[in-house]
Amino acid sequence: MSSKTPKILIYSHDSFGLGHLRRCRAIAQSLVGDFDTLSVLILSGSPIIGSFEFRSRVDFVRIPGVIKLRNGEYTPLSLHINIDQTLAIRSSIIEHTAKVFDPDIFIVDKEPLGLRGEVLPTLEALKETDTRLVLGLRDVMDDPEILKEEWDRKNVYPALRDLYDDIWVYGPQDICNPVEGIELPGSVQDKLRYTGFLRRELPKSAQDLPAPTPFDEEPYILVTPGGGGDGVEMVDWVMRAYEARQIPLFPALIVLGPFMPAAAAAQFSERAEHLRDVEIIRFTPQIEPYLANATAIVGMGGYNTFCEILSFDKPTLMVPRVVPRREQAIRAERAEQSGLLKVLPIDRYPDPDLMAKALSDLPEMASPSSAGVDNLLGGLEIISTRVGEIFDEQQVASRKLVNF
């Protein structure tokens, strides 16, 4: 390894939302727990990364943020400069950080070349060192045809072939294949390693605290649109069901997410004031205690929410988005086919009776574990094992070099 203490650098592909950051944070937190002297540094454009707690030996570098618009284009989050200037700044920070930090492993989340190719110079520079280069992919990326067109347009294949040493897929091989329909050369296929989903647990800071009881001792349904930036329709649909219900429903705790548009968040809070059994939380960086104490969950189908559903083993209703990617819909469909949860397609919105019936049935549904799907949540353990193997290989290579 490049120093006496191991170091991992993680690039979190952030445009808008919490998905990439929370996945990278989960991996970092787990790894420093498994390796006593390991330091992990996360590169992130998330404007709220500072709201999250990090374990000792995990830190982050905040790069200028960008927003992905619904048409797929990007724009700076805060800076009044054009996107090309923003990306040039980001790319420079990423490359300089990697050079100074000198990581033993560099993990790139989701985008093989980074946002608009911003990571490519760093990959090329680190390839000339002893750093192991790893690409981490979600269990589902998008429709195969759309992903193929995207990767063809971005010309990612040379990087997959010549730069990356490992490609980790954060899901189980028997129910997911993010590169389905893409003809990858054998040398790239050999780099694929399926890890399983990433287990989530209660943060240590919350383990000794009383369980949250937003409705005193009454059981409740937790409604989470993740970051909330694209969750207005789902939350509105749930609210309509409570406003127009003709049947009894469990109380609902709705966590809007930090990226829910301010006007929509204000409207939802006002509507909830007229409902005795609906409570609104704008955002919490520690949603796990609420998940653990909930009777059931309503979510959109993002990767992190799905991992939490499996980890806390709650009956679940998914209302996945279909734009700008069908990733959530594909994941939800496969999960429903495996008997893990139920899906309510967003194209049935805004029928309040349909949502009310789904919410009424939800608490009596079976939990995901009853589906009997094996080896779902071994991702963090398999990643840790692989990281240990890489460190061992690097130590052997270093000793050979010294003895040469």
Side-chain angles (χ1 to χ4, degrees):
M1 291 180 288
S2 58
S3 65
K4 292 182 181 179
T5 58
K7 293 172 291 186
I8 295 177
L9 181 64
I10 301 179
Y11 165 82
S12 174
H13 170 70
D14 300 290
S15 52
F16 204 59
L18 295 174
H20 304 286
L21 169 61
R22 294 188 64 216
R23 179 166 56 247
C24 293
R25 175 176 173 267
I27 292 170
Q29 305 274 77
S30 176
L31 287 174
V32 296
D34 292 339
F35 297 91
D36 292 340
T37 60
L38 173 66
S39 294
V40 180
L41 188 61
I42 300 174
L43 290 156
S44 171
S46 172
I48 62 165
I49 187 171
S51 300
F52 290 89
E53 291 183 3
F54 290 89
R55 297 183 64 166
S56 176
R57 293 179 285 113
V58 178
D59 210 336
F60 62 88
V61 172
R62 167 83 160 83
I63 57 179
V66 297
I67 302 173
K68 186 173 185 179
L69 306 174
R70 292 181 79 88
N71 64 4
E73 295 297 316
Y74 292 93
T75 187
L77 175 63
S78 300
L79 298 176
H80 291 283
I81 60 177
N82 66 44
I83 187 63
D84 292 332
Q85 290 174 301
T86 303
L87 291 171
I89 294 171
R90 287 168 55 106
S91 183
S92 177
I93 295 172
I94 293 166
E95 186 173 5
H96 186 69
T97 300
K99 180 179 179 181
V100 175
F101 190 59
D102 188 22
D104 300 288
I105 302 174
F106 181 37
I107 303 174
V108 174
D109 186 67
K110 191 234 177 204
E111 285 286 345
L113 306 181
L115 180 62
R116 293 270 192 93
E118 66 183 1
V119 172
L120 183 56
T122 302
L123 291 170
E124 292 174 336
L126 290 179
K127 192 64 177 178
E128 301 302 317
T129 70
D130 295 328
T131 301
R132 186 68 63 97
L133 304 179
V134 177
L135 174 64
L137 299 179
R138 288 187 309 239
D139 61 323
V140 179
M141 297 288 284
D142 204 338
D143 273 322
E145 299 82 5
I146 295 175
L147 181 64
K148 182 179 185 306
E149 185 278 329
E150 180 181 320
W151 278 13
D152 286 345
R153 173 169 43 82
K154 295 178 178 178
N155 193 28
V156 305
Y157 304 108
L160 300 181
R161 183 186 65 236
D162 303 327
L163 295 179
Y164 283 105
D165 301 296
D166 285 44
I167 301 174
W168 298 343
V169 178
Y170 302 132
Q173 186 170 4
D174 53 346
I175 63 174
C176 70
N177 177 8
V179 293
E180 179 183 355
I182 298 178
E183 294 185 9
L184 297 174
S187 61
V188 175
Q189 291 280 1
D190 292 342
K191 299 176 184 180
L192 289 172
R193 183 182 297 261
Y194 289 80
T195 70
F197 294 111
L198 310 181
R199 185 183 300 276
R200 306 302 164 87
E201 297 176 345
L202 283 176
K204 291 187 181 299
S205 59
Q207 289 178 0
D208 297 328
L209 297 176
T213 54
F215 302 94
D216 294 324
E217 297 301 320
E218 283 191 79
Y220 63 90
I221 296 171
L222 179 70
V223 181
T224 169
D230 51 8
V232 172
E233 290 180 340
M234 186 198 77
V235 173
D236 179 62
W237 200 358
V238 171
M239 296 284 290
R240 287 171 184 255
Y242 278 86
E243 290 165 339
R245 68 188 136 184
Q246 302 294 320
I247 53 178
L249 298 176
F250 277 37
L253 175 65
I254 305 176
V255 182
L256 298 178
F259 302 117
M260 174 77 67
Q267 290 178 358
F268 289 141
S269 296
E270 182 180 356
R271 289 164 65 182
E273 291 178 0
H274 302 285
L275 297 167
R276 63 171 182 79
D277 51 1
V278 174
E279 293 288 335
I280 298 284
I281 295 179
R282 186 70 169 90
F283 168 61
T284 173
Q286 284 196 356
I287 197 172
E288 293 90 351
Y290 295 97
L291 290 160
N293 202 42
T295 296
I297 298 170
V298 179
M300 291 179 61
Y303 181 84
N304 289 286
T305 299
F306 187 56
C307 289
E308 289 159 348
I309 288 163
L310 298 179
S311 299
F312 293 105
D313 201 27
K314 303 294 181 177
T316 298
L317 176 69
M318 274 192 176
V319 188
R321 72 181 184 192
V322 293
V323 292
R325 294 183 182 274
R326 289 199 68 253
E327 166 224 342
Q328 293 187 358
I330 295 170
R331 179 179 296 113
E333 290 164 6
R334 292 179 181 176
E336 186 173 45
Q337 291 168 1
S338 299
L340 297 169
L341 46 79
K342 293 294 184 181
V343 174
L344 192 57
I346 194 65
D347 60 10
R348 304 295 299 275
Y349 167 81
D351 184 337
D353 294 333
L354 184 64
M355 174 60 79
K357 179 64 166 60
L359 292 172
S360 176
D361 293 342
L362 179 58
E364 302 302 321
M365 281 172 37
S367 60
S369 61
S370 65
V373 182
D374 296 327
N375 303 320
L376 280 176
L377 289 165
L380 293 174
E381 292 80 5
I382 289 178
I383 289 171
S384 179
T385 298
R386 182 56 186 147
V387 165
E389 293 171 351
I390 292 172
F391 288 163
D392 290 343
E393 292 167 7
Q394 289 174 326
Q395 287 181 338
V396 170
S398 179
R399 285 196 293 267
K400 287 183 178 178
L401 186 62
V402 170
N403 296 327
F404 180 70

